Amino acid sequence: MPVVVLVGPMGVGKSTVGRLLAERLETGYRDTDDDIVAEQGRTIADIFVDDGEGAFRDLEKRAVRTALAEHGGVLALGGGAVLDADTRALLAGHRVVYLSMEVEEAVRRTGLNTARPLLAVNPRKQWRELMEARRHLYEEVAVAVVATDGRTPEEVTQAALDAVELKEA
């Protein structure tokens, strides 16, 4: 069972904070998006373009299930992983931290990044729509919410540790 699972929107810093948490807790780090890329041998953007979002979500669901069963360190999930009801059910009983941010911070961090297929056109409007659909799902699975706006990765890492009352190794 993972020590902590990070959820939140794309660009919030799950990978960066996850690596820092793993380092401070002296444990391993795993990212389900990385698992999918390694398994498929192509980027997530390519999977979206070539196979569609539905196919990607199927891969994501399987990757999360596998990682939750196998990984005992810090686990970061892709931004849309919480869309699946089965995945949300699997997260019950886990120490899940929702890393949050507001739209201005999201646009500053993600910009017009073409590697983020769901934000390819009008990122500000699309990010707001994504968050309207997802915020309650992130909150549903989380035992703690940590705002990332205006904070360094180190500050977010410490806030996450404090929020779930984990002590550094």
Side-chain angles (χ1 to χ4, degrees):
M1 186 162 149
V3 174
V4 67
V5 179
L6 299 176
V7 299
M10 60 190 87
V12 76
K14 297 181 298 285
S15 297
T16 301
V17 171
R19 286 184 186 94
L20 289 169
L21 278 170
E23 181 180 301
R24 290 182 55 184
L25 294 169
E26 295 182 0
T27 190
Y29 169 75
R30 185 167 176 174
D31 184 317
T32 56
D33 281 351
D34 292 344
D35 292 350
I36 294 166
V37 169
E39 176 192 297
Q40 295 294 306
R42 54 195 171 137
T43 68
I44 289 173
D46 286 343
I47 296 167
F48 264 79
V49 170
D50 296 343
D51 303 337
E53 184 175 358
F56 172 75
R57 296 296 173 207
D58 289 342
L59 294 169
E60 182 174 56
K61 179 178 178 175
R62 189 173 70 234
V64 171
R65 185 180 332 109
T66 300
L68 286 171
E70 294 177 355
H71 186 65
V74 176
L75 178 62
L77 305 188
V82 297
L83 294 171
D84 182 75
D86 293 337
T87 296
R88 291 193 308 276
L90 286 174
L91 290 170
H94 287 274
R95 192 181 284 128
V96 179
V97 176
Y98 162 31
L99 300 181
S100 70
M101 68 180 166
E102 296 302 319
V103 67
E104 295 308 321
E105 185 81 1
V107 170
R108 185 182 69 73
R109 291 184 190 183
T110 60
L112 297 171
N113 188 342
T114 56
R116 302 196 186 273
L118 293 179
L119 295 182
V121 179
N122 194 347
R124 190 178 310 261
K125 178 177 182 276
Q126 290 180 305
W127 192 87
R128 277 192 187 106
E129 290 172 359
L130 283 174
M131 286 308 298
E132 284 175 20
R134 297 177 181 180
R135 181 176 286 112
H136 70 284
L137 301 175
Y138 294 136
E139 291 170 348
E140 175 186 321
V141 300
V143 297
V145 178
V146 175
T148 64
D149 303 85
R151 288 175 144 171
T152 66
E154 293 76 13
E155 290 169 333
V156 173
T157 300
Q158 187 59 55
L161 287 168
D162 293 345
V164 293
E165 300 178 352
L166 284 172
K167 303 296 179 220
E168 293 180 55

